[in-house]
């Protein structure tokens, strides 16, 4: 049996194979993920956004960064250097001699396979004379020739070659390790040991420990765990949080503390510039001694946020720190909302806890809008547009126009809008119209259901209610042509009343259609005008199947003619049914057949709709949608912001959340969102609101009423006819089982 032998590669050839593979595994994926994307494409995208977003701060910063950045060049140089090493190693490997190849004695003797023994001897004689060591030949080559000659002429050697590929018989299996032999050389043992110890006992633990220490400090949304705990403490401590208190809690985040975040900077000039800004801002609760609001980093972040909302001019150093704070605010506000939702769920499930009020959650959403647009809460949403100043608002809020929001401005006629904005030149007016046309408005449709229930439109106490909200995004430029159509706003949606009721399922009550038809006929009969005695006498004088209105058409008015003809037709139908019961039975059979066909058709349609909704949900779970939707027009925000929305259901009367806010980050054109919540445990009518809020624009929020009628839940059936098994059937089953056992025992005895 052949043995095994492990040996290092003395020549170093296999090490080049290993090194080439290792470099290729690094260079190829790195090129795919790290190669800079086409700069021309980014330039073209910025160029297409220039007309609308050219005045935005983030656009100007991005344009300057794309021109000055050398990071793409460095990435390309590093990747090209890696490819150069990879190609060099591949070329080196291609030039290496093959050490492990099949032994062929014919090739050694320079003969073709299958030649005669005489030709083999003749060729061996010629080559041996040429390579004999005594005549100055190569001894190694002479040994190869002798071995090849023996393999072809000696029967035993030939059998070994044909069986094992070697004239000497089976050889020891050797495995080469792709490392050069100098690594295990005794002379280099201390150096190799030092390198191994440095790599695996110092560098690797430091790298892993650093990564682990940093990762445990952050949550999944890259928010410091200490910051989340801070928000949890103050949200529980202050369930009703006004805007001033919210600003203090937000700016107390540890992301702004240099001890927790190295990106935050405390400058020596802050002792001069920050107090000056505090005097300009006025009362910002500087004397508040409650930690951490009194800490220097929290006070500085609060001042920077308030100066941003007030659109104040600051120095370059303060402006750089201000941009850092503003970039962090949207994610931190989202974390506060998440914390509020967690506290609400805990208070609902456990009880005894104070849940945050609805105003606290909505103030976070409003503050996000204010941060992105750089506006204070009391300011007009019209200041989001370019070239609008405080002194220009008097033209808009005058008694003639009464324009206070962006939808109001869109709803004006072109002539009135141009006349109102007469303080703008043609170029500025066109820019304002371009920006206004790019701002979105959302068409929101709601559908209330109880999924996984026989009666999906009947809401019972404690059932899980699903509100499917369909959002369709459009641009306000599409409404310039439709000046009479009002845009959806918070005020108009709050005044709307949902009069349309959901249809009942066709399999619930099959006889409802006939009952409704009978009721409608009775109502029609009661609404008819009273008939005079003369007309009644005239009716009696006529034949049963004749026209009632026959002689009175000429003398009666048109309205009376219609009423009398309706009465006549109904009376004729009634008399005909009385006289012919067989016809009445046929009509009832036909009606029942049509009802069954309609029910079957509706069942198929609803089944198909249910299957489509299930497939759509499955696709939504599998698909990973991009969060890049549409860039937000923001004059003072330092980073490109995408249009995202909050969608939730709330009880505005009780100031509580009914469903947790869903952060819709993938709304490009159309998006379908499901909001689920448990129905109240008590029966009755409830008035909720479906609320859509932007996290970037002010004045585009929508509120839509949602009426909920809760019924009593059906009682669980203790006994069902299918569960009742007669005693006789049980006895028969037991008898059959016993008979089968006896028969099997008798068969076994017979076999024995």
């Amino acid at each position: 049996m052949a043995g095994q032998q492990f040996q290092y590669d003395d020549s170093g050839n296999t090490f080049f194979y290993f090194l080439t593979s290792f470099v290729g595994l690094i260079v190829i994926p790195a090129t795919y993920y790290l190669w800079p994307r086409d700069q021309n494409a980014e330039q073209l995208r910025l160029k297409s956004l220039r007309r609308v977003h050219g005045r935005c701060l983030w656009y100007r910063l991005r344009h300057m960064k794309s021109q000055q950045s050398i990071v793409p060049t460095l990435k390309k140089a590093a990747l090209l250097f890696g490819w150069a090493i990879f190609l060099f190693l591949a070329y080196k490997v291609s030039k290496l001699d093959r050490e492990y190849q099949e032994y062929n004695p014919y090739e050694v003797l320079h003969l073709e396979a299958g030649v005669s023994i005489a030709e083999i001897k003749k060729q061996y004689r010629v080559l041996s004379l040429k390579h004999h060591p005594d005549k100055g030949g190569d001894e190694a080559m002479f040994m190869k020739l002798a071995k090849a000659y023996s393999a072809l002429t000696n029967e035993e050697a030939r059998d070994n070659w044909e069986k094992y590929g070697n004239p000497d018989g089976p050889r020891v299996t050797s495995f080469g390790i792709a490392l050069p032999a100098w690594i295990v050389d005794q002379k280099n043992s201390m150096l190799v040991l030092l390198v191994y110890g440095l790599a695996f006992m110092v560098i690797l633990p430091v790298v892993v420990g650093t990564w682990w220490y940093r990762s445990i400090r952050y949550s999944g949304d890259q928010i410091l765990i200490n910051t989340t705990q801070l928000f949890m403490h103050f949200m529980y401590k202050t369930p009703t949080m006004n805007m001033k208190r919210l600003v203090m809690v937000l700016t107390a985040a540890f992301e702004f503390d240099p001890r927790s975040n190295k990106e935050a900077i405390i400058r020596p000039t802050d002792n001069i510039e920050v107090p000056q800004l505090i005097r300009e801002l006025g009362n910002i609760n500087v004397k508040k001694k409650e930690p951490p609001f009194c800490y220097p980093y929290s006070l500085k972040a609060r001042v920077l946020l308030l100066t941003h909302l007030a659109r104040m001019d600051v120095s370059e150093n303060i402006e750089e720190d201000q941009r850092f704070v503003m970039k962090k605010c949207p994610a931190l506000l989202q974390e506060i909302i998440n914390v509020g939702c967690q506290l609400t769920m805990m208070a609902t499930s456990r009880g005894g806890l104070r849940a945050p009020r609805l105003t606290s959650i909505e103030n976070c959403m409003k503050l996000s809008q204010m941060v992105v647009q750089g506006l204070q809460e009391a300011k007009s949403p019209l200041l989001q547009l370019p070239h609008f100043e405080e002194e220009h608002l008097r033209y808009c809020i005058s008694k003639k126009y009464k324009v206070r929001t962006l939808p109001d401005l869109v709803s004006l006629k072109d002539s009135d809008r141009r006349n109102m904005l007469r303080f703008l030149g043609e170029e500025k007016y066109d820019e304002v119209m371009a920006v206004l046309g790019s701002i979105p408005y959302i068409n929101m449709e709601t559908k209330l259901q109880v999924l996984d229930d026989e009666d999906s439109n009947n809401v019972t106490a404690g059932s899980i209610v699903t509100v499917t909200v369909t959002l369709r995004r459009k641009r306000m430029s599409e409404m310039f042509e439709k000046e009479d159509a009002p845009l959806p706003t918070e005020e108009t949606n709050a005044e709307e009343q949902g009069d349309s009721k959901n249809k009942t399922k066709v399999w619930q009550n099959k006889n409802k259609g006939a009952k409704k038809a009978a009721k409608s006929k009775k109502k029609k009969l009661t609404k008819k005008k009273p008939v005079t005695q003369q007309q009644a006498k005239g009716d009696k004088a006529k034949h049963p199947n004749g026209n009632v209105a026959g002689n009175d058409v000429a003398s009666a008015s048109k309205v009376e003619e219609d009423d009398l003809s309706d009465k006549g037709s109904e009376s004729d139908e009634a008399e005909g049914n009385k006289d012919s019961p067989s016809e009445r039975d046929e009509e009832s059979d036909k009606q029942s057949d049509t009802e069954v066909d309609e029910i079957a058709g509706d069942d198929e349609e609803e089944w198909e709709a249910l299957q489509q909704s299930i497939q759509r949900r499955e696709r939504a779970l599998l698909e990973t949608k991009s969060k890049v939707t549409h860039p937000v027009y923001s004059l003072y925000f330092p980073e490109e912001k995408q249009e995202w929305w909050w969608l939730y259901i709330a009880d505005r009367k009780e100031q509580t959340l009914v469903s947790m806010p869903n952060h819709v980050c993938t709304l490009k054109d159309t998006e379908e969102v499901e909001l689920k919540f448990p129905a109240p445990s008590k029966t009755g009518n409830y008035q909720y609101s479906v609320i859509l809020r932007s996290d970037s624009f002010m004045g585009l929020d929508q509120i839509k009423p949602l009426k909920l009628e809760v019924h009593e839940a059906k009682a669980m059936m203790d006994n069902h006819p299918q569960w009742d098994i007669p005693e006789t059937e049980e006895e028969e089953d037991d008898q059959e089982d016993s008979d089968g056992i006896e028969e099997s025992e008798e068969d076994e005895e017979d076999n024995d």
Side-chain angles (χ1 to χ4, degrees):
M1 181 177 178
Q4 294 182 351
Q5 179 182 358
F6 293 90
Q7 60 182 5
Y8 285 89
D9 181 18
D10 294 331
S11 62
N13 292 343
T14 52
F15 178 69
F16 280 107
Y17 283 100
F18 166 75
L19 193 59
T20 304
S21 303
F22 181 76
V23 173
L25 288 175
I26 295 177
V27 169
I28 295 174
T31 303
Y32 180 78
Y33 289 105
L34 300 179
W35 186 265
R37 297 295 180 259
D38 189 6
Q39 297 295 319
N40 294 330
E42 180 66 15
Q43 293 295 333
L44 290 175
R45 189 183 77 90
L46 292 176
K47 188 176 181 181
S48 63
L49 298 175
R50 182 186 301 173
R51 181 171 180 266
V52 176
H53 301 272
R55 291 186 177 273
C56 296
L57 175 61
W58 67 264
Y59 182 88
R60 290 184 275 115
L61 294 175
R62 177 72 62 84
H63 189 66
M64 293 171 56
K65 185 178 179 181
S66 62
Q67 292 179 350
Q68 299 176 358
S69 178
I70 61 171
V71 175
T73 305
L74 295 177
K75 285 184 178 180
K76 287 183 178 180
L79 292 173
L80 290 176
F81 179 72
W83 274 102
I85 296 176
F86 176 72
L87 294 176
F88 171 75
L89 292 173
Y91 174 76
K92 187 76 175 177
V93 168
S94 66
K95 293 298 182 181
L96 294 176
D97 295 332
R98 292 183 300 168
E99 294 187 358
Y100 306 103
Q101 56 185 354
E102 185 179 358
Y103 179 74
N104 190 351
Y106 289 105
E107 292 183 359
V108 177
L109 295 174
H110 305 289
L111 292 173
E112 295 182 0
V115 298
S116 62
I117 299 297
E119 292 181 358
I120 293 173
K121 291 180 179 180
K122 181 181 178 181
Q123 182 69 13
Y124 172 68
R125 188 178 298 109
V126 173
L127 294 176
S128 62
L129 292 174
K130 180 180 178 181
H131 296 284
H132 198 280
D134 295 341
K135 296 184 179 182
D138 187 3
E139 184 177 359
M141 187 62 189
F142 180 77
M143 295 299 295
K144 290 182 180 179
L145 292 173
K147 184 178 180 180
Y149 176 74
S150 175
L152 296 177
T153 56
N154 190 348
E155 293 183 1
E156 183 179 357
R158 190 180 184 91
D159 292 338
N160 290 333
W161 171 61
E162 291 177 353
K163 289 181 181 180
Y164 307 109
N166 190 11
D168 299 332
R171 299 181 61 186
V172 176
T173 304
S174 62
F175 296 91
I177 301 177
L179 291 174
W182 60 265
I183 289 183
V184 293
D185 193 354
Q186 189 175 2
K187 298 178 181 179
N188 303 325
S189 58
M190 293 302 296
L191 178 62
V192 173
L193 185 61
L194 180 62
V195 172
Y196 270 86
L198 184 64
F200 292 101
M201 299 181 64
V202 178
I203 298 177
L204 185 61
V206 167
V207 171
V208 174
T210 304
W211 169 80
W212 176 252
Y213 176 72
R214 290 181 178 178
S215 62
I216 61 174
R217 296 173 60 238
Y218 291 89
S219 64
D221 298 326
Q222 296 301 310
I223 304 296
L224 287 170
I225 299 296
N226 293 336
T227 299
T228 304
Q229 294 174 352
L230 177 74
F231 292 161
M232 183 80 71
H233 169 74
F234 284 107
M235 286 292 284
Y236 180 75
K237 183 179 179 181
T238 315
T240 304
M241 191 176 295
N242 57 21
M243 192 64 71
K244 185 178 293 186
R245 178 76 173 180
L246 179 60
V247 169
M248 296 174 66
V249 173
L250 173 64
T251 53
F254 288 97
E255 273 75 4
F256 308 133
D257 188 358
R259 295 172 296 179
S260 302
N261 188 3
K262 294 182 179 179
E263 296 180 3
I265 301 175
I266 296 295
R267 304 176 187 274
T269 56
D270 293 343
N271 297 327
I272 300 174
E273 295 181 345
V274 173
Q276 183 179 356
L277 293 175
I278 292 175
R279 288 191 295 270
E280 295 179 7
L281 288 170
N283 184 18
I284 60 170
N285 294 332
V286 179
K287 298 181 180 180
K288 190 82 172 178
K289 299 302 180 182
E290 182 182 5
F293 304 140
C294 59
Y295 294 163
Y297 82 89
S298 177
L299 182 61
K300 178 183 177 180
R302 194 188 322 159
V303 170
L304 296 179
L305 176 58
L306 294 177
T307 53
H308 171 74
L309 298 181
R311 296 185 176 182
M312 295 172 54
D313 295 330
V314 294
S315 63
E316 293 183 1
N317 293 334
I318 293 293
E319 185 178 8
E320 184 178 353
D321 297 341
Q322 187 183 59
R323 292 173 184 173
F324 166 75
V325 172
M326 295 307 106
K327 290 178 182 179
K328 294 287 185 182
C329 283
L332 293 173
L333 287 169
Q334 179 61 38
E335 185 68 14
I336 297 178
I337 294 174
N338 294 339
V339 167
C341 295
Q342 293 175 9
L343 290 174
T344 302
M345 290 188 292
M346 291 170 61
T348 304
S349 60
R350 299 180 183 179
L353 298 176
R354 293 185 300 176
R357 304 287 289 176
L358 180 62
T359 53
S360 302
I361 305 296
E362 291 184 339
N363 282 339
C364 295
M365 300 177 182
K366 293 177 182 178
L367 183 56
S368 177
Q369 300 172 0
M370 295 160 53
V371 169
V372 174
Q373 295 299 332
L375 281 176
Q376 296 175 344
E377 185 179 12
K379 297 297 182 180
S380 172
L382 297 176
L383 295 177
Q384 299 173 103
L385 298 174
H387 309 299
F388 267 75
E389 302 294 341
E390 290 283 350
E391 60 269 14
H392 299 151
L393 296 178
R394 58 189 179 89
Y395 298 101
C396 303
I397 62 177
S398 61
K399 294 182 179 180
K400 182 178 180 180
Y401 300 108
K402 298 180 180 180
V403 174
R404 299 182 181 275
T405 62
L406 298 178
D408 294 342
L409 183 59
V410 174
S411 301
L412 286 178
K413 294 182 179 180
D414 289 339
S415 57
D416 294 340
R417 190 187 304 113
R418 187 66 188 96
N419 187 30
M420 184 186 70
L421 302 179
R422 59 185 178 274
F423 57 88
L424 297 175
E426 289 296 331
E427 185 177 352
K428 292 183 179 180
Y429 178 78
D430 293 340
E431 184 180 350
V432 169
M433 289 297 100
V435 173
L436 183 62
S438 67
I439 294 176
Y441 81 90
I442 308 300
N443 183 15
M444 182 170 60
E445 298 177 0
T446 60
K447 182 180 180 182
L448 189 145
Q449 284 180 316
V450 180
L451 299 178
D452 302 329
D453 198 351
E454 294 180 356
D455 189 359
S456 62
N457 294 315
N458 184 24
V459 180
T460 57
S463 61
I464 302 300
V465 182
T466 302
V467 178
T468 304
V469 183
T470 304
L471 304 175
R472 292 183 176 85
R473 181 194 183 276
K474 297 183 180 180
R475 298 161 62 93
M476 285 195 178
S477 59
E478 300 178 17
M479 298 304 296
F480 289 155
E481 303 294 333
K482 307 173 184 178
E483 296 171 348
D484 297 334
L487 291 176
T489 58
E490 185 173 352
E491 292 78 8
T492 57
N493 286 326
E495 295 175 358
E496 290 180 358
Q497 299 294 331
D499 297 333
S500 60
K501 295 182 179 180
N502 295 325
K503 297 181 181 178
T504 57
K505 298 292 182 183
V506 295
W507 57 74
Q508 295 171 12
N509 296 319
K510 296 183 179 180
N511 297 327
K512 283 186 178 180
K515 292 180 180 179
K516 289 181 180 179
K519 289 181 181 179
S520 62
K521 285 185 179 180
K522 289 181 180 179
K523 289 180 181 179
K524 287 182 180 179
L525 292 174
T526 55
K527 288 181 181 178
K528 302 299 179 183
K529 293 182 180 180
V531 184
T532 59
Q533 293 181 356
Q534 295 179 356
Q535 291 173 347
K537 291 179 181 179
D539 295 341
K540 293 179 180 179
K542 299 297 178 182
H543 294 285
N545 296 329
N547 290 329
V548 177
N551 297 325
D552 298 334
V553 173
S555 60
S557 63
K558 292 182 180 180
V559 178
E560 292 176 350
E561 286 178 8
D562 297 336
D563 294 339
L564 291 173
S565 62
D566 293 337
K567 288 181 181 179
S569 62
E570 292 176 359
S571 61
D572 291 343
E573 290 177 1
E575 291 176 359
N577 291 333
K578 289 179 181 179
D579 295 338
S580 56
S582 61
E583 293 179 359
R584 182 175 59 194
D585 294 338
E586 291 178 359
E587 291 179 358
S588 63
D589 293 338
K590 291 180 180 179
Q591 185 176 1
S592 63
D593 293 338
T594 56
E595 288 179 358
V596 171
D597 294 338
E598 290 177 357
I599 291 171
D602 292 340
D603 285 343
E604 293 179 358
E605 292 178 359
E606 291 174 358
W607 176 254
E608 291 178 359
L610 179 61
Q611 293 297 321
Q612 290 177 0
S613 64
I614 293 174
Q615 293 176 1
R616 187 166 56 251
R617 267 181 260 158
E618 290 178 351
R619 285 196 301 268
L621 291 174
L622 295 175
E623 292 178 358
T624 303
K625 295 184 178 180
S626 173
K627 292 186 177 182
V628 179
T629 55
H630 302 275
V632 174
Y633 183 85
S634 53
L635 287 170
Y636 295 93
F637 196 69
E639 194 174 38
E640 183 177 2
K641 179 75 174 61
Q642 301 296 321
E643 291 179 8
W644 293 346
W645 307 82
W646 283 296
L647 182 65
Y648 59 98
I649 302 174
D651 187 349
R652 301 185 69 82
K653 183 178 180 181
E654 299 293 333
Q655 282 293 304
T656 56
L657 282 172
V658 178
S659 74
M660 298 302 106
N662 191 324
H663 204 190
V664 183
C665 304
T666 57
L667 177 58
K668 287 187 176 180
D669 299 314
T670 304
E671 190 76 15
E672 191 174 273
V673 183
E674 288 186 352
L675 301 176
K676 297 186 178 182
F677 62 93
S681 58
K682 296 182 180 179
T683 60
N685 295 325
Y686 295 86
Q687 184 70 34
Y688 294 152
S689 299
V690 181
I691 305 174
L692 178 70
R693 291 189 184 276
S694 172
D695 69 344
S696 306
F697 291 105
M698 299 176 64
L700 299 184
D701 302 338
Q702 297 186 37
I703 300 176
K704 200 166 188 177
L706 179 68
K707 292 183 179 180
L708 192 67
E709 185 177 356
V710 181
H711 304 279
E712 290 185 2
K714 295 181 180 179
M716 297 294 294
M717 298 182 64
D718 297 333
N719 296 320
H720 194 275
Q722 295 179 352
W723 302 341
D724 296 335
I725 301 176
E727 295 181 358
T728 56
E729 292 183 4
E730 293 180 354
E731 294 175 357
E732 291 176 358
D733 294 338
D734 295 340
Q735 185 65 28
E736 290 177 357
D737 295 338
S738 62
D739 294 340
I741 294 171
E742 292 176 358
E743 290 177 358
S744 62
E745 292 177 353
E746 292 176 358
D747 294 339
E748 290 178 358
E749 291 176 357
D750 295 339
N751 293 330
D752 295 337

